[in-house]
Amino acid sequence: MTIGTPLAAPTRPVGRSSRPFGVDWPVVSAVIARDLRAVRRSKAVVVPMMLVPFLLLVVLPLLVGLAARQASSPNGTISFIDSLPAALADPIANLPPDQQLLTLVLGYFLAPLFLIVPLMVSAVLAADAFAGEKERHTMETLLHLPITDRDLFIAKFLTGFLPAVAVSWIGFTAFAIVANGVSWGIVDGLIVPNGLWLVVIFWVAPAVATLGLGIMVRVSARSRTTQEANQLGGAVILPLIFLAVGQATGLLLVDLSVALAIGAAVWVIGLLLVWRGAARFTRDRIAGNP
Amino acid sequence: MSAAIITSGLSRSFDGCVAVDSLDLEVQAGEVLALLGPNGAGKTTTVRLLNGVLTPDSGGATVLGMDPNVDGDEVRRRTGVLTEAAGLDDRLTARENLEFTARMRGFTVAEARLRVDTQLDRFGMQSMAEYRTVGFSTGQKKRLALARSLLHDPEILFLDEPTSGLDPAATRDVTDLIGSLAREHGRTVLLATHFLGEAGRIADRMAVLDHGRLLAIGRPEDLAAELWDGTPAEIDLGEPATDATMSIVGQVEGVAGLEAGATGLTVALHDREAMARVLAALAAAGTSVYGASIRRASMEDVYFALEDSSLQRVAP
Ligand SMILES: Nc1ncnc2c1ncn2[C@@H]1O[C@H](COP(=O)(O)OP(=O)(O)OP(=O)(O)O)[C@@H](O)[C@H]1O
Ligand SMILES: [Mg+2]
């Protein structure tokens, strides 16, 4: 070790003058870039983040689609359609019988299930970003750097939010290819995207990601380790997932206006939780509750 | 010299347990102040308060003319901290860890790279730069954390146990570095440590905390003069001093006190001349003297004396 002499004068970069929304974006993006780089190398985070969307958005629609293709008698479908909400039943009932099942399952049934993806991705990443940082003792280092409490929170929020939305949209693209591919030659035109799916991916999915983050920010503040946060968070999030699965069979979401309203409600709850989390995210609280 | 850090009545407790108790401290610019005290004395909490990471319950601090509780980011821009735990992300390489901090401190990608290289070289970590820190030894992590705290050439350095876990050569190098940062480059260093010998070598003054309270602050020799009546001197007689010898020395003018030891005695002297008179008296009595030295009180002596007196104050 040859320590030598230090640099001559204290040099500090001058304060950046432009701060859109009062946020120091270079610093915020430095945190996000570091977190995502670290996460990419963490199997415990990456595997569930890739596997669940793959099963849900590629394997499941493929199996369901192939099974629906094989279904020889469409009679069962027709009687089921009678019990659907009118808004959905009409477009489907008007289809030729052999197209009804595929359209119903791929175009509508899977939409609520899809929401598990943004929920899970944001929750897993938030646990790593908030509780994991404490567990690795890197939070203390961050607190001693020139970043405001609010900017640090924004960085941590986006670390969960951006990948959750990105994975959802990429996953949806894969799903669209599978869904349309598997119904090729049977259903006229494309099954997805339809109006419902557009609402789900652009409106409800980001809302659900926000909700997942809001829950995990709260839970992480009370946990010492990522595992603890994931367990606690799972206890809150699993019922939400069952609710989503329940929705799939109850088909509450099929009506566009209902989907929009549910999305709005999730946004409100999610943002409220995030807002409260942000208010409690202060250096003093973080350093004072190791 | 102006003060780089001033605290007045700085206090902070956790769940009713007082960690820092009405601390009044002044650290001059360009000074190395050793912050000493037993485990749980409040050293780390003090650093956190000074860097605006914790908010005081009462009292306050001025760091580089600013209140860390108000202008925390501006204070943190100009201070560098070595935290107790190295706080490296084990999933990143040594270089990535440091470059992240440089980016956080506002350097461009190119400049961050340059500064990281300089520091990696300085701490002999260049050959480890592209490895993930997960397998690094305690000392290697400490070096990286030190390198990280110096990336932006901070005006004030808060070093929380900078040499714990370092090998002897690295300890000497880091100690020299801290000394040169202050003496040649005018940086202010607050050095929280348990290594009294090393602190004594580089620190100008010492502050001793216990149960969050400041027991004393000052130069070791000044504190010694307050603590003891006179300067201690060792006299080597080759055997324990006899009662007769003790009474002869006790009567010499300028001797404030004396104590027999295994190979002679320790006397407390009011002035240097008293030493000559003691030696003359011993020679006149026909007692052989094999050695005599005035012992300047070390930081260690002062520390233990303060700790002992504080125990006495707390115990009864
Ligand atoms: N976040 C916290 N929550 C609860 N108690 C705390 C917290 N931080 C510090 N303390 C308590 O405050 C006291 C001072 O702690 P501090 O870490 O400042 O001591 P220290 O002098 O740095 O000790 P050491 O030499 O062991 O590093 C201790 O009694 C500790 O238990
Ligand atoms: Mg400490």
Side-chain angles (χ1 to χ4, degrees):
Chain A
M1 180 154 131
T2 48
I3 279 174
T5 49
L7 301 175
T11 44
R12 269 175 293 117
V14 286
R16 283 167 288 264
S17 50
S18 92
R19 293 184 168 210
F21 308 107
V23 174
D24 191 344
W25 289 108
V27 161
V28 166
S29 49
V31 176
I32 299 173
R34 180 204 64 158
D35 281 5
L36 293 184
R37 177 183 293 201
V39 153
R40 278 208 306 273
R41 294 178 186 168
S42 171
K43 281 202 187 67
V45 181
V46 171
V47 169
M49 248 177 68
M50 293 294 140
L51 197 63
V52 172
F54 180 74
L55 290 177
L56 222 58
L57 300 178
V58 177
V59 177
L60 186 64
L62 197 64
L63 294 179
V64 169
L66 288 175
R69 253 186 114 105
Q70 299 292 317
S72 49
S73 160
N75 295 341
T77 318
I78 293 166
S79 61
F80 179 58
I81 284 172
D82 293 339
S83 64
L84 291 177
L88 174 69
D90 279 352
I92 289 189
N94 292 338
L95 288 171
D98 56 346
Q99 299 187 17
Q100 287 177 349
L101 187 58
L102 274 170
T103 307
L104 181 66
V105 170
L106 297 177
Y108 298 91
F109 263 30
L110 288 179
L113 277 183
F114 164 83
L115 292 171
I116 292 173
V117 172
L119 186 65
M120 191 211 62
V121 173
S122 69
V124 167
L125 289 178
D128 189 81
F130 289 93
E133 193 91 56
K134 261 197 297 193
E135 186 181 0
R136 292 187 292 273
H137 301 292
T138 44
M139 190 59 108
E140 173 90 3
T141 319
L142 269 183
L143 300 183
H144 282 289
L145 287 172
I147 179 171
T148 62
D149 297 351
R150 200 186 56 144
D151 284 1
L152 188 54
F153 185 84
I154 290 173
K156 294 274 159 196
F157 176 83
L158 291 177
T159 295
F161 184 80
L162 296 178
V165 172
V167 170
S168 300
W169 289 357
I170 294 167
F172 173 75
T173 309
F175 167 74
I177 293 169
V178 170
N180 291 318
V182 83
S183 52
W184 196 257
I186 294 188
V187 177
D188 306 327
L190 298 178
I191 291 186
V192 275
N194 58 17
L196 172 67
W197 270 106
L198 289 178
V199 170
V200 165
I201 61 168
F202 289 117
W203 175 244
V204 191
V208 166
T210 306
L211 179 69
L213 269 153
I215 292 168
M216 292 311 282
V217 165
R218 200 58 202 282
V219 159
S220 295
R222 289 151 193 257
S223 319
R224 261 167 226 281
T225 64
T226 318
Q227 203 190 350
E228 208 178 317
N230 275 325
Q231 282 166 357
L232 262 169
V236 183
I237 286 174
L238 275 179
L240 288 178
I241 291 180
F242 287 128
L243 206 67
V245 177
Q247 296 292 308
T249 46
L251 284 179
L252 253 178
L253 214 104
V254 293
D255 198 327
L256 274 195
S257 55
V258 174
L260 283 168
I262 288 178
V266 175
W267 268 118
V268 168
I269 299 169
L271 285 176
L272 264 175
L273 281 172
V274 168
W275 191 261
R276 278 194 58 165
R280 290 157 167 266
F281 192 82
T282 65
R283 275 184 162 73
D284 189 76
R285 265 177 199 272
I286 301 164
N289 301 298
Chain B
M1 261 199 198
S2 58
I5 301 169
I6 303 168
T7 73
S8 67
L10 192 66
S11 304
R12 172 67 199 230
S13 47
F14 298 99
D15 312 314
C17 157
V18 185
V20 172
D21 193 355
S22 331
L23 186 63
D24 293 312
L25 205 64
E26 209 171 302
V27 187
Q28 303 303 319
E31 171 183 39
V32 180
L33 178 75
L35 192 58
L36 310 173
N39 294 133
K43 304 181 293 294
T44 302
T45 306
T46 303
V47 169
R48 287 166 148 192
L49 286 165
L50 293 177
N51 218 25
V53 169
L54 287 174
T55 310
D57 294 336
S58 60
T62 308
V63 177
L64 295 167
M66 294 171 286
D67 181 347
N69 208 17
V70 178
D71 299 309
D73 279 328
E74 193 46 38
V75 168
R76 287 185 284 272
R77 240 180 273 286
R78 294 167 64 181
T79 60
V81 182
L82 175 75
T83 48
E84 262 174 314
L88 300 161
D89 194 322
D90 282 346
R91 299 171 297 185
L92 301 179
T93 66
R95 176 185 298 287
E96 286 166 348
N97 267 293
L98 265 59
E99 279 181 358
F100 165 66
T101 302
R103 296 285 289 144
M104 290 294 286
R105 292 204 170 275
F107 294 111
T108 61
V109 174
E111 192 166 7
R113 189 152 259 276
L114 201 74
R115 282 179 176 260
V116 168
D117 273 328
T118 308
Q119 295 300 333
L120 286 173
D121 279 337
R122 177 190 254 178
F123 288 92
M125 293 298 291
Q126 192 65 267
S127 62
M128 312 278 293
E130 313 305 333
Y131 291 98
R132 292 192 199 173
T133 58
V134 62
F136 283 21
S137 73
T138 312
Q140 287 167 336
K141 287 186 178 176
K142 184 72 88 176
R143 289 180 195 206
L144 274 183
L146 264 165
R148 183 177 56 191
S149 70
L150 293 172
L151 279 172
H152 58 302
D153 268 307
E155 289 159 68
I156 296 184
L157 266 167
F158 296 114
L159 302 177
D160 207 341
E161 302 179 26
T163 56
S164 72
L166 291 182
D167 61 45
T171 301
R172 186 197 55 202
D173 289 347
V174 166
T175 311
D176 290 349
L177 170 72
I178 296 169
S180 94
L181 282 171
R183 267 178 273 290
E184 287 151 42
H185 303 275
R187 306 293 189 270
T188 309
V189 181
L190 191 66
L191 173 69
T193 183
H194 295 298
F195 297 106
L196 300 171
E198 158 202 319
R201 235 174 309 132
I202 48 172
D204 306 293
R205 293 191 304 152
M206 62 192 284
V208 182
L209 288 179
D210 198 3
H211 293 93
R213 301 182 69 92
L214 185 66
L215 294 182
I217 179 168
R219 301 189 316 147
E221 47 270 40
D222 295 342
L223 295 178
E226 284 174 28
L227 277 166
W228 294 291
D229 195 11
T231 312
E234 309 275 3
I235 297 175
D236 182 3
L237 304 175
E239 57 185 8
T242 60
D243 288 345
T245 309
M246 295 289 280
S247 80
I248 291 169
V249 174
Q251 281 158 22
V252 173
E253 186 197 340
V255 172
L258 72 171
E259 192 181 334
T263 59
L265 71 163
T266 306
V267 290
L269 305 173
H270 281 312
D271 53 76
R272 265 152 46 97
E273 294 307 314
M275 181 69 138
R277 288 192 291 272
V278 167
L279 293 178
L282 285 170
T287 312
S288 301
V289 175
Y290 301 104
S293 61
I294 289 181
R295 182 156 56 91
R296 271 191 46 203
S298 66
M299 202 171 265
E300 204 161 342
D301 297 324
V302 175
Y303 177 83
F304 285 117
L306 285 167
E307 281 294 308
D308 288 347
S309 66
S310 94
L311 276 183
Q312 279 158 18
R313 226 176 298 153
V314 173

